[in-house]
Amino acid sequence: MCTTIALTLVSGQAAWAQEQGAPVPAPAPAPAPAAQGGTVQGKVTAAYGDPLWGVVVSVRGTKQSVQTDVQGNYTLTGVAPGERTLEVRGEGFMSQTRKLTVAADAPLQADFALELDLLAVEEIVVTAQTPDRKIRSSTAISTLNEDEIKARAPRNTADLMRIVPGFYVESSGGEVGGNLFVRGLPADGSYRYVALMEDGMPVFDSTELFFVNNDIFLRVDENIERMEAVRGGTSALYGSNAPGGVVNFINKTGGDKLAGTVRAATATAGLYRLDANLNGPIGDDWRFSVGGFYRFDNGVRYPGFPASTGGQFKGSLMRTFHTDKVDGHARVTFKYLNDRNTFYLPLPFRGRFDSNNRLTGYDFVEGFPTDGTLTSPEGVNAQVPLPRGAGLLNLPLDNGQQQIGGSAMAELRLYFPGVRLEVQDNLRAMVMDHSWNAMLPFELRDANAWAESVVGAGTPYRLTCTNLPGAPAFGTGECSTPNGLVNLGGQWLVNKPMSNVSNQLRFIKYGSLGPTEHTLSGGLYLGYYTADNRWQFNDIVTNVRSRPNFLDLQVLDTDGNVVRNVTQNGFRRYLSSYTNGTGNATIAAAFLGDEVKIGEKLRVDLAGRVERNSFQQNVERTASFDLGDPTTNADDNALFGTGKFQQVTTSLTDWALSGGVNYALSEQASVYARSSRGYKMPLLDQYLTATDPSDPAFPRTPELLWQNEAGIKLGGSWYALAAVAYWMQIENFPSQDARVDPVTGDTSFVTVYAGKAQTFGLELEAAVQPVKWFRGQAMLTLQDPRYTEFNEGADDFSGNRIRRIPQVIGDVTGTFMYGDVSLGINWNYVGHRFSNNANTVDLPGFGQFNARVGYTYENFTLDLQLFNALNSTGLTEGNPRVDESLGAVPDIFLARPVLPRRLMLSLTARL
């Protein structure tokens, strides 16, 4: 939305000028520079002596500013004689101000040595009630600038958020489909309590839907300028349905000079990627930015076809204008995305357990490689017969999670200096055709035990690899596996076209009341989104190996002749579940807040939001059909639509309120506290599976959240620290599983509104640079997330740990710098978690090492990056998509490990 040097001080004039990247004017107009003014010159260096270029040196109260050259030198001419205040700001450094007496007849020398801003406490954060420096904000905020994003080199969007305290990220599913859990809030995955934004507007008005994790709308590329993550109670004020946090990805808009980057990368396992961005001025008042990426990747778990192909293109055009009565800009942006990515799911393990049945160690089952996958090329374009003469359904498994579509946004921002009022309007539209294709593992069984359980003990049968030449028998030739297991799974196809139109009108009014200064902000938010659903689930059986083979089970007579085909082409049951619906939702919200500055040190803020959501679903009724093939059981019980629909409509209203206080201990240290009430509206898709208002699973009220937190932010010449202690309670949250009936094979989505849960936690961020050649950064989260009231049927899980949430999360990075060479080593750690609500399935904690070596020569940078250097197989989740009581082999289980090791080489060229 605005450039990295955008600032908001008490003065409205200051707010607008800094938002535009201009020097900061004083609250009252300063004297115009004399025709023949004085000259101020000097040099700006880092505290360790290196010259700093691109640093802005400005005269406060005027529009005079200049940037330092590559030697750190600057010269300001035409400065009005008299006492003036110089302000020096550079990204990554603490700002400095100095009062000077300027004379018209003699140049004045003023040199500056800037201290490092290791946690960017001076950075202006725009994802807030009112933009301000991080250190003066009464919220928990983490940021990454462009260089830090490149140094992290995330494998996917979710990976980038790993550095945020209080965030637990599962990114083992591949390029998209990550899970983000914030401050211990119970969720079944996705980004349920966190809104993802792009340039200040939600990428989609619902933070999640069934088969939609909101990172499908975002890709990290060279267009991204920085990322801001706000967590805690105030986030409910900034975005719809985001009580846990807001992550805002801010794109480049173009500066005063032409700039650009081109990055080419390749990696082991067949990755090739090209990124580019070009941005800059068009004349005096126009700015542009264009760029994108294209990527081809066979995948670190090669499924037998390219795992990821596609890319995106973004563009931005901005017009700034300045008159005596109004300053401002108008900006339009657009994005086109055409991308597909295989979704990696749980894999087969053989565990070792202690006397308390706690998992102490594990390995992949016999014959399954570290980089293996249970996705098979045999599933690509498999065909399923449909009832009611609807023909054949093609299953494009190789599409994985596919998104084709785009978005556009128009932004108008005006500042009226005469009345110290800022008005901003953002209008965003998005259309996306999304599909979800995957092979899901449900249950691992001994092959012979499973076959006998189906055909009956003593009945002759044959189990074959049906798609291999000659259909060899299970356990022979190419159909042989050393583990002797079969996977009873599913091949699911979900088609989900979506659209969204949203508009936010916002104002900020600056003023004074007696000795206090106020920043009053408020506005209206309107949103309308649609999401259609067509789910077609099928049950399959395969052997257990990487890129497995589909199996067919046949009943034989005593002479070995086929009597009955239990399966057909590897399908146990066609259309074991079918859902068809069209839905839409409307959002209307109003928000209002005031930040009060009392003296130079104390700030108090209070803000609220009222929101109403209206939902409508039209759901097709289903019935069971026998497709009429007498040679197989696979088509005897197919679920399909009847052509009759049921309509569900409901509306809910709720409110959020948050109050905070920030007290400045010094220019580089502050303490703050905040208390808030928030809410989370139901998902539109919940009304797909709960259509009867008398059903206990029918969402009747929003979820309710209470949060309290207190923290300290401080920095020095070689260190910085941010610490936050928090308490959070949530009521009326849903717990959902996809459960497969072991007798009928039916797949059903079961939702229970469980009761209450709470988390006590401590979040720490720290950075040190004691010497010029080394910088260290660390993040640590300690938390105790527990159900306080939680009943599922007859089971009382009150007091248990919230499933999938660790108590300890850590991330440590050390960077060594010598001349043009840098070496970075990163270690992240996730403590043990329970993968089920009963706390009987314990996933051990694990760590991963990553390393990076970079060399810069003039405008070129060569990077070598090693992900998961020790090839950890840490488990990020069990198999939450099905009831875990289905395990039939005592020491065999399904779980999803982290992505295996990958080595990447990239070359970046800059204009």
Side-chain angles (χ1 to χ4, degrees):
M1 292 171 57
C2 37
T3 59
T4 52
I5 55 174
L7 300 175
T8 299
L9 300 180
V10 172
S11 160
Q13 292 97 322
W16 179 253
Q18 293 186 3
E19 190 278 329
Q20 294 298 313
V24 184
Q36 298 295 324
T39 298
V40 182
Q41 61 190 22
K43 186 171 186 177
V44 181
T45 65
Y48 44 76
D50 288 358
L52 298 178
W53 66 278
V55 172
V56 177
V57 182
S58 59
V59 181
R60 181 175 289 179
T62 75
K63 293 188 177 182
Q64 292 176 284
S65 69
V66 69
Q67 289 187 349
T68 57
D69 61 21
V70 292
Q71 285 80 38
N73 297 316
Y74 74 92
T75 301
L76 277 166
T77 60
V79 180
E83 187 174 272
R84 297 285 173 259
T85 298
L86 245 61
E87 189 166 24
V88 182
R89 292 185 178 273
E91 184 176 343
F93 293 87
M94 296 287 189
S95 62
Q96 284 190 22
T97 59
R98 185 182 302 173
K99 289 186 177 181
L100 304 170
T101 301
V102 179
D105 55 352
L108 185 64
Q109 185 76 19
D111 297 332
F112 295 85
L114 302 185
E115 303 284 356
L116 288 166
D117 185 8
L118 293 173
L119 282 182
V121 295
E122 288 237 335
E123 184 175 19
I124 302 303
V125 179
V126 299
T127 314
Q129 181 179 334
T130 54
D132 207 344
R133 293 190 303 158
K134 281 171 62 177
I135 199 168
R136 297 313 313 271
S137 173
S138 57
T139 57
I141 304 172
S142 298
T143 58
L144 281 179
N145 61 32
E146 183 180 1
D147 291 336
E148 291 169 327
I149 291 173
K150 291 179 179 178
R152 297 287 302 191
R155 285 187 171 191
N156 47 49
T157 304
D159 246 2
L160 192 59
M161 304 176 209
R162 198 182 301 278
I163 60 96
V164 181
F167 281 11
Y168 167 52
V169 174
E170 293 177 351
S171 58
S172 53
E175 184 89 9
V176 296
N179 298 317
L180 175 58
F181 304 86
V182 56
R183 288 187 168 178
L185 285 172
D188 298 308
S190 191
Y191 294 77
R192 182 172 182 83
Y193 298 103
V194 177
L196 299 186
M197 293 186 172
E198 196 165 17
D199 294 325
M201 291 291 284
V203 295
F204 193 69
D205 268 331
S206 179
T207 55
E208 66 166 335
L209 292 173
F210 294 165
F211 300 100
V212 175
N213 296 22
N214 270 11
D215 58 357
I216 68 169
F217 302 106
L218 278 167
R219 304 292 189 276
V220 177
D221 63 8
E222 292 294 323
N223 294 294
I224 301 293
E225 184 178 74
R226 69 185 188 276
M227 182 195 82
E228 299 177 354
V230 177
R231 58 197 186 276
T234 57
S235 59
L237 307 174
Y238 312 144
S240 178
N241 293 318
V246 170
V247 181
N248 190 12
F249 292 84
I250 300 170
N251 289 292
K252 297 173 182 175
T253 59
D256 295 334
K257 296 181 179 179
L258 188 66
T261 55
V262 177
R263 179 176 180 267
T266 185
T268 54
L271 168 67
Y272 304 93
R273 176 166 171 150
L274 181 66
D275 291 71
N277 174 265
L278 182 68
N279 66 85
I282 306 176
D284 294 333
D285 300 322
W286 293 87
R287 301 289 183 270
F288 81 96
S289 177
V290 293
F293 79 91
Y294 182 81
R295 173 248 302 110
F296 175 91
D297 187 7
N298 278 324
V300 288
R301 301 191 184 281
Y302 178 54
F305 49 83
S308 299
T309 58
Q312 74 177 1
F313 181 75
K314 290 182 180 180
S316 168
L317 183 64
M318 183 170 71
R319 170 72 157 87
T320 61
F321 44 87
H322 308 279
T323 69
D324 293 338
K325 294 184 177 181
V326 61
D327 290 333
H329 73 241
R331 180 188 176 202
V332 293
T333 64
F334 67 89
K335 175 172 68 175
Y336 175 72
L337 176 66
N338 188 334
D339 198 20
R340 65 168 191 82
N341 299 274
T342 293
F343 188 39
Y344 299 121
L345 287 157
L347 300 177
F349 289 89
R350 188 179 297 276
R352 298 180 292 278
F353 301 85
D354 61 18
S355 58
N356 295 320
N357 204 34
R358 180 168 176 169
L359 184 66
T360 59
Y362 55 89
D363 300 292
F364 286 104
V365 298
E366 297 82 357
F368 201 90
T370 303
D371 60 353
T373 175
L374 288 177
T375 299
S376 170
E378 293 186 18
V380 177
N381 295 324
Q383 292 189 325
V384 172
L386 297 176
R388 300 174 58 198
L392 293 174
L393 171 69
N394 188 66
L395 300 179
L397 179 64
D398 54 339
N399 281 347
Q401 296 196 71
Q402 184 179 49
Q403 298 82 42
I404 301 176
S407 62
M409 186 174 79
E411 176 182 273
L412 178 64
R413 197 164 187 174
L414 306 172
Y415 175 66
F416 302 91
V419 292
R420 301 173 67 186
L421 174 67
E422 182 179 341
V423 179
Q424 179 179 346
D425 189 79
N426 291 78
L427 173 64
R428 188 177 190 273
M430 183 276 293
V431 176
M432 189 70 68
D433 189 3
H434 169 62
S435 64
W436 194 97
N437 304 268
M439 288 176 60
L440 298 89
F442 295 152
E443 182 185 1
L444 302 177
R445 297 283 298 272
D446 175 82
N448 292 323
W450 170 72
E452 290 181 359
S453 71
V454 174
V455 303
T459 302
Y461 67 88
R462 180 165 58 206
L463 193 60
T464 65
C465 285
T466 187
N467 293 320
L468 290 180
F474 181 84
T476 66
E478 293 185 29
C479 196
S480 177
T481 59
N483 51 63
L485 297 172
V486 295
N487 169 35
L488 306 181
Q491 185 166 347
W492 292 5
L493 168 61
V494 176
N495 290 307
K496 201 175 185 91
M498 295 174 286
S499 67
N500 194 177
V501 177
S502 55
N503 190 88
Q504 179 168 275
L505 175 64
R506 184 182 182 189
F507 73 87
I508 302 176
K509 178 71 171 70
Y510 305 88
S512 300
L513 184 62
T516 62
E517 299 183 22
H518 294 254
T519 303
L520 185 68
S521 62
L524 299 172
Y525 185 92
L526 298 174
Y528 174 80
Y529 64 92
T530 67
D532 297 345
N533 289 271
R534 178 164 287 192
W535 309 351
Q536 296 167 110
F537 299 170
N538 305 277
D539 295 341
I540 60 174
V541 57
T542 69
N543 54 15
V544 177
R545 60 184 295 175
S546 185
R547 299 183 293 278
N549 307 113
F550 280 60
L551 301 177
D552 267 344
L553 176 62
Q554 298 171 323
V555 178
L556 308 177
D557 62 18
T558 55
D559 296 326
N561 299 312
V562 176
V563 176
R564 175 168 51 96
N565 292 292
V566 176
T567 64
Q568 188 176 63
N569 300 322
F571 285 83
R572 295 181 290 131
R573 182 183 175 189
Y574 296 127
L575 296 178
S576 58
S577 183
Y578 176 86
T579 298
N580 182 30
T582 60
N584 65 79
T586 302
I587 298 173
F591 51 94
L592 182 67
D594 189 17
E595 182 181 91
V596 184
K597 181 179 178 182
I598 306 171
E600 292 298 321
K601 294 187 175 183
L602 181 62
R603 298 188 185 194
V604 179
D605 66 82
L606 181 67
R609 180 184 181 104
V610 177
E611 180 172 326
R612 183 170 179 81
N613 283 200
S614 298
F615 303 98
Q616 182 181 93
Q617 279 281 9
N618 295 282
V619 184
E620 187 177 16
R621 299 181 185 274
T622 61
S624 177
F625 294 84
D626 186 339
L627 302 184
D629 187 342
T631 66
T632 181
N633 298 101
D635 74 339
D636 291 352
N637 187 20
L639 295 178
F640 202 64
T642 63
K644 297 179 180 179
F645 286 79
Q646 177 181 1
Q647 187 176 92
V648 182
T649 58
T650 189
S651 296
L652 300 170
T653 303
D654 214 324
W655 55 275
L657 185 67
S658 183
V661 58
N662 181 293
Y663 183 79
L665 303 173
S666 67
E667 280 295 316
Q668 299 180 14
S670 67
V671 293
Y672 80 92
R674 177 165 295 281
S675 182
S676 62
R677 178 201 189 275
Y679 59 89
K680 174 71 174 72
M681 292 290 184
L683 305 182
L684 172 63
D685 282 356
Q686 287 179 258
Y687 298 101
L688 271 174
T689 56
T691 58
D692 184 355
S694 65
D695 185 344
F698 188 89
R700 294 173 179 81
T701 60
E703 300 168 57
L704 174 62
L705 287 89
W706 296 95
Q707 300 185 62
N708 294 305
E709 61 184 271
I712 184 171
K713 307 174 186 181
L714 55 91
S717 60
W718 61 273
Y719 69 91
L721 173 69
V724 183
Y726 64 89
W727 169 88
M728 176 182 290
Q729 178 175 283
I730 183 171
E731 303 176 17
N732 195 42
F733 63 90
S735 177
Q736 178 174 291
D737 286 296
R739 298 182 182 176
V740 179
D741 190 302
V743 178
T744 66
D746 288 349
T747 302
S748 61
F749 283 79
V750 180
T751 300
V752 176
Y753 286 89
K756 296 181 181 180
Q758 69 177 17
T759 303
F760 291 92
L762 177 66
E763 300 167 351
L764 299 171
E765 278 184 287
V768 296
Q769 188 163 351
V771 291
K772 175 183 175 181
W773 49 267
F774 174 76
R775 175 179 292 192
Q777 292 175 288
M779 178 279 290
L780 178 65
T781 301
L782 304 173
Q783 58 187 4
D784 186 26
R786 294 191 179 272
Y787 301 117
T788 54
E789 296 179 16
F790 190 178
N791 295 278
E792 281 189 334
D795 297 319
D796 185 357
F797 297 136
S798 301
N800 284 9
R801 284 257 306 277
I802 298 174
R803 71 176 182 182
R804 299 178 71 177
I805 309 295
Q807 291 180 305
V808 180
I809 311 167
D811 190 279
V812 180
T813 300
T815 304
F816 300 85
M817 299 158 285
Y818 182 78
D820 296 324
V821 179
S822 64
L823 169 65
I825 299 174
N826 169 260
W827 176 72
N828 59 71
Y829 175 77
V830 175
H832 84 99
R833 292 131 291 130
F834 293 105
S835 72
N836 62 345
N837 294 326
N839 287 188
T840 58
V841 182
D842 190 359
L843 301 180
F846 66 91
Q848 289 186 85
F849 279 96
N850 306 290
R852 171 184 176 268
V853 178
Y855 172 70
T856 299
Y857 176 74
E858 295 183 348
N859 292 334
F860 297 91
T861 298
L862 187 67
D863 280 309
L864 185 65
Q865 291 157 319
L866 184 60
F867 303 99
N868 193 5
L870 303 183
N871 218 19
S872 166
T873 56
L875 305 180
T876 63
E877 63 172 66
N879 199 12
R881 292 168 182 81
V882 297
D883 188 334
E884 299 197 46
S885 65
L886 290 177
V889 183
D891 61 342
I892 299 291
F893 65 95
L894 290 159
R896 189 166 69 179
V898 297
L899 298 176
R901 178 169 47 216
R902 170 169 260 180
L903 182 66
M904 177 182 288
L905 178 68
S906 66
L907 177 65
T908 303
R910 294 174 298 278
L911 288 181

